[in-house]
Amino acid sequence: MPASSAPTLESVAARAGVSRATAGRVLAGSARVSPAAREAVMQAAQELSYVTNQAARALVTRRSGSVALVVVEPVERFFSDSYFPLVLSGAQAVLSEREVQLVLVVLSTPRERERFERYARGGHVDGAILVSVHGPDPLPQHLRDAGIPVVLSGRPYDLASTVPFVSADNVAGARAAVQHLVDRGCRHIGTVSGPLDMPPGQDRLEGFRAQLRACRRRVPARAVATGDFTAAGGRSATEALLARYPELDGLFVANDLMAAGALQALAAAGRSVPGDVRVVGFDDAPLAGAAVPPLTTVRQPVVEMGRHLARMLLAIIDGAEPEASVVVPTELVERASA
Amino acid sequence: MPASSAPTLESVAARAGVSRATAGRVLAGSARVSPAAREAVMQAAQELSYVTNQAARALVTRRSGSVALVVVEPVERFFSDSYFPLVLSGAQAVLSEREVQLVLVVLSTPRERERFERYARGGHVDGAILVSVHGPDPLPQHLRDAGIPVVLSGRPYDLASTVPFVSADNVAGARAAVQHLVDRGCRHIGTVSGPLDMPPGQDRLEGFRAQLRACRRRVPARAVATGDFTAAGGRSATEALLARYPELDGLFVANDLMAAGALQALAAAGRSVPGDVRVVGFDDAPLAGAAVPPLTTVRQPVVEMGRHLARMLLAIIDGAEPEASVVVPTELVERASA
DNA sequence: CTGAAAGCGCTTACAG
DNA sequence: CTGAAAGCGCTTACAG
């Protein structure tokens, strides 16, 4: 809402003694302008503190100059999981270089989803980065059908999806975590998995199984407890695991938040970490370093993933449709817990 | 970026057999329209999946329909502090009810600040909620001078500022924390304060001192260590405190992130919590419940504060200029650490 | 290199 | 209650 007295291109042109068209060309950085005209316009714009009216520009260019980062989650998850702000900061870095504004949208209710679809179709954003889409969600396809460029954070649940995505190598990360426990001499390795309707939950569990198999270890059914990526869920899953698999001496927890809960459960059960049970988390969230003991975990380069997502989206917006998905490597971060 | 074939008000009007003006009135919910016309327009809009072009609307109404939540922080702080997402979710709740879109903006560099000022002056947002402004920052005043409605999260550093704000009662919260330690029998109470260039840091320290004074306790200089609101800072401040004030048996830490660091330092020093040292944090951040032991802390109703901020901003945008600032009460949450 | 002019899609007095 | 028309501020062929 510029003050009603906000300078227009017209007033800049008048002050510079040129036409509106010429003033517009200068401000758009067009080459076909004489140095004298350029000079005059720049100075006039400066003197008037001119900024271009975005609505007017958008009306003719059909570009809003902003893209949405859409988080499909209850707000509680949004703020308890460090993943989101990290993706955001990576995307933000790339977008702000291109003078594209990032709009964060949290979609918790069906009503909010509808509103967002309208918002996007109304031309408010030029594209969307979708984060944390659960199960077989139609949102990505809806947006695409409306002609809105979309990229996904994390591989899509629907394997037939053609929406480009950026994902960490969750399988390899889980394998590295398990191998670390094996290398440390753990004989009875269990896991607290993530929700099995989410690709990261699925993939990390698959990596867990695959690596134990590669080590010629059996995976008893009772060695696997399902969690929900929250601290409370990690705690209760770990309690269940300890009850039915008391010989447990190595634990892979599918994210750090659940691992924090696991540490509580182990402390409550009188098991020392890493003395009695070694624990490896996943994410390298901020709380990993702050935990007691500090968590050994699998780092996924979330900020970098955010950068990738932004670059992919900008490319698609610029018309380079067939952008390839990318899977980025993870890295084991050793701390005290394993 | 609607597909170029996106339906316009014109096409809806044609299909409904009325003028563009009438179609516009129906869609704007105006009362002065015949039921028959209303019916026809609604149906046409439905059939064409019409959504209004925001740029066109904004150009004439001079309203963008969105407001910014501006976080003035390095991105690291943004994602390590749970305060921001909580404010955001509260604000989001209010705004989405009013069909106003929230745009999150993180300002880490001078360049980004400039860009944002241009963005706001360009009419992209109708107002701004400013969070975590440090020291004597001119940004709020700049925006105001440009005619952009602004509200502040947290009381302004500059006491002469007239920008309306919403703040927790940090002084009272700190006093309650100290009183709790006193009630639990602590004799030697220290504190890890926040940065003293930030109002919450200042106010919580003031509350600490005030309450001990009210209890007729002396506050030796060595009982106060200054932190920076990070876990690492909390840890090293606590180490320093233990070194110079070994009789410490009660500790008030000015936020939960630092309290997590304090727990690490105490564990490393072989001090049990709450056996040897009782610890009270501030914020009731998600990690408070996940800590070992779970943290007793002072809850500030951040989500509610976010709601307040959004309501105040909307009121100002709607022309109700002289909106009063509000200070909301805090609440002690007892867990295991004290 | 430059200007006159059309047009983006909406809202809103102004008549009737 | 309804329509014709002006106008929001910009961009962009089209001439020159």
Side-chain angles (χ1 to χ4, degrees):
Chain A
M1 194 181 71
S4 49
S5 59
T8 68
L9 196 51
E10 189 74 50
S11 56
V12 171
R15 187 177 192 104
V18 301
S19 71
R20 183 158 26 99
T22 296
R25 287 189 190 103
V26 171
L27 266 9
S30 158
R32 335 250 93 231
V33 184
S34 71
R38 176 180 313 282
E39 181 61 28
V41 170
M42 290 307 252
Q43 180 169 344
Q46 178 89 75
E47 288 168 1
L48 297 174
S49 302
Y50 172 77
V51 292
T52 115
N53 178 311
Q54 297 299 334
R57 168 178 289 171
L59 184 55
V60 18
T61 60
R62 299 174 162 284
R63 282 288 179 84
S64 70
S66 34
V67 305
L69 183 86
V70 183
V71 177
V72 187
E73 283 288 351
V75 278
E76 309 85 65
R77 277 284 331 277
F78 171 65
F79 56 71
S80 64
D81 195 326
S82 62
Y83 183 81
F84 305 115
L86 289 166
V87 174
L88 190 154
S89 75
Q92 166 105 312
V94 167
L95 295 172
S96 84
E97 243 168 49
R98 289 272 303 262
E99 301 264 311
V100 173
Q101 187 64 45
L102 189 153
V103 176
L104 176 73
V105 181
V106 181
L107 265 27
S108 308
T109 66
R111 205 175 143 209
E112 285 169 1
R113 297 173 59 116
E114 254 176 59
R115 181 151 27 207
F116 174 71
E117 285 192 33
R118 238 180 303 136
Y119 181 79
R121 294 184 53 223
H124 241 126
V125 295
D126 300 329
I129 298 173
L130 263 42
V131 184
S132 189
V133 175
H134 287 258
D137 191 314
L139 182 62
Q141 201 54 52
H142 274 192
L143 293 175
R144 274 198 138 186
D145 291 348
I148 298 160
V150 171
V151 295
L152 245 43
S153 162
R155 80 164 171 78
Y157 177 86
D158 174 6
L159 292 169
S161 160
T162 58
V163 180
F165 66 86
V166 174
S167 169
D169 194 336
N170 288 305
V171 174
R175 296 186 71 143
V178 169
Q179 186 58 49
H180 180 76
L181 292 170
V182 168
D183 291 346
R184 284 286 178 280
C186 298
R187 311 292 321 163
H188 303 286
I189 301 177
T191 188
V192 175
S193 79
L196 298 180
D197 66 334
M198 291 179 68
Q202 298 164 350
D203 294 350
R204 291 172 197 177
L205 179 57
E206 186 196 321
F208 171 81
R209 290 187 193 285
Q211 190 63 19
L212 283 179
R213 221 179 297 123
C215 294
R216 308 248 174 270
R217 305 276 185 102
R218 292 217 48 230
V219 185
R222 63 205 174 105
V224 178
T226 303
D228 61 357
F229 281 157
T230 72
R235 177 168 189 157
S236 57
T238 303
E239 285 163 356
L241 208 53
L242 285 172
R244 67 180 187 238
Y245 193 32
E247 61 271 50
L248 184 81
D249 64 357
L251 181 60
F252 168 57
V253 189
N255 77 344
D256 288 342
L257 209 51
M258 292 198 298
L263 291 179
Q264 291 182 315
L266 289 163
R271 309 278 189 113
S272 75
V273 176
D276 298 330
V277 181
R278 295 180 189 274
V279 177
V280 180
F282 206 112
D283 285 346
D284 196 22
L287 67 80
V292 180
L295 270 176
T296 291
T297 186
V298 178
R299 191 177 99 83
Q300 49 173 339
V302 185
V303 175
E304 190 189 322
M305 290 162 67
R307 282 197 292 261
H308 262 301
L309 285 162
R311 276 192 289 259
M312 280 172 56
L313 184 60
L314 291 176
I316 297 174
I317 290 173
D318 288 346
E321 185 63 43
E323 193 72 20
S325 296
V326 322
V327 174
V328 302
T330 59
E331 177 194 3
L332 190 77
V333 178
E334 288 191 49
R335 296 203 181 87
S337 71
Chain B
M1 195 182 69
S4 50
S5 59
T8 67
L9 194 51
E10 189 72 50
S11 55
V12 171
R15 187 178 193 104
V18 301
S19 72
R20 185 157 24 101
T22 297
R25 287 187 191 103
V26 171
L27 266 8
S30 160
R32 333 251 93 228
V33 184
S34 71
R38 178 181 310 283
E39 180 63 26
V41 170
M42 290 307 251
Q43 180 169 343
Q46 177 90 73
E47 288 169 1
L48 296 174
S49 304
Y50 173 77
V51 291
T52 114
N53 179 310
Q54 298 299 334
R57 168 178 288 170
L59 183 55
V60 18
T61 62
R62 298 175 163 284
R63 282 286 180 84
S64 70
S66 33
V67 306
L69 182 86
V70 183
V71 178
V72 187
E73 282 289 352
V75 278
E76 308 84 66
R77 278 285 328 279
F78 170 66
F79 56 71
S80 63
D81 194 327
S82 63
Y83 182 81
F84 305 115
L86 290 167
V87 173
L88 190 153
S89 74
Q92 166 104 311
V94 168
L95 296 172
S96 83
E97 244 169 48
R98 289 270 307 259
E99 301 264 313
V100 172
Q101 186 64 48
L102 188 153
V103 176
L104 176 73
V105 182
V106 182
L107 266 26
S108 308
T109 66
R111 208 177 139 206
E112 284 168 1
R113 296 173 61 116
E114 255 176 61
R115 182 152 27 208
F116 173 72
E117 285 193 32
R118 240 180 300 138
Y119 181 80
R121 294 184 53 223
H124 241 127
V125 294
D126 301 329
I129 298 173
L130 263 41
V131 184
S132 190
V133 175
H134 286 261
D137 191 313
L139 182 62
Q141 201 52 53
H142 274 195
L143 293 174
R144 275 196 137 187
D145 291 348
I148 297 159
V150 171
V151 295
L152 245 42
S153 163
R155 79 163 172 79
Y157 178 87
D158 175 6
L159 291 169
S161 161
T162 58
V163 180
F165 65 86
V166 174
S167 170
D169 193 339
N170 288 304
V171 174
R175 296 185 70 142
V178 168
Q179 187 60 48
H180 180 77
L181 291 170
V182 168
D183 291 346
R184 285 285 178 282
C186 298
R187 311 292 322 164
H188 303 285
I189 301 177
T191 189
V192 174
S193 79
L196 299 180
D197 66 335
M198 290 179 67
Q202 298 164 350
D203 293 351
R204 293 173 196 175
L205 180 57
E206 186 196 321
F208 170 83
R209 289 186 193 285
Q211 191 62 18
L212 283 179
R213 220 179 298 125
C215 295
R216 309 249 175 268
R217 306 277 186 103
R218 291 217 49 232
V219 184
R222 63 203 174 106
V224 178
T226 303
D228 59 358
F229 282 156
T230 72
R235 177 169 188 156
S236 57
T238 303
E239 285 163 356
L241 209 52
L242 286 171
R244 67 181 187 234
Y245 193 32
E247 59 272 51
L248 184 81
D249 63 358
L251 181 59
F252 168 57
V253 188
N255 77 343
D256 288 343
L257 208 52
M258 292 198 298
L263 291 179
Q264 291 182 314
L266 289 164
R271 308 279 190 111
S272 74
V273 176
D276 297 330
V277 181
R278 295 180 189 274
V279 176
V280 180
F282 206 112
D283 284 345
D284 196 22
L287 67 79
V292 180
L295 269 176
T296 291
T297 186
V298 178
R299 192 178 97 84
Q300 48 173 339
V302 185
V303 174
E304 191 189 322
M305 291 162 67
R307 282 197 292 261
H308 263 301
L309 285 163
R311 276 193 289 261
M312 281 173 56
L313 185 60
L314 291 176
I316 297 175
I317 290 173
D318 288 346
E321 184 64 45
E323 194 70 23
S325 296
V326 321
V327 174
V328 301
T330 59
E331 176 193 3
L332 189 77
V333 178
E334 287 190 50
R335 295 203 182 87
S337 70

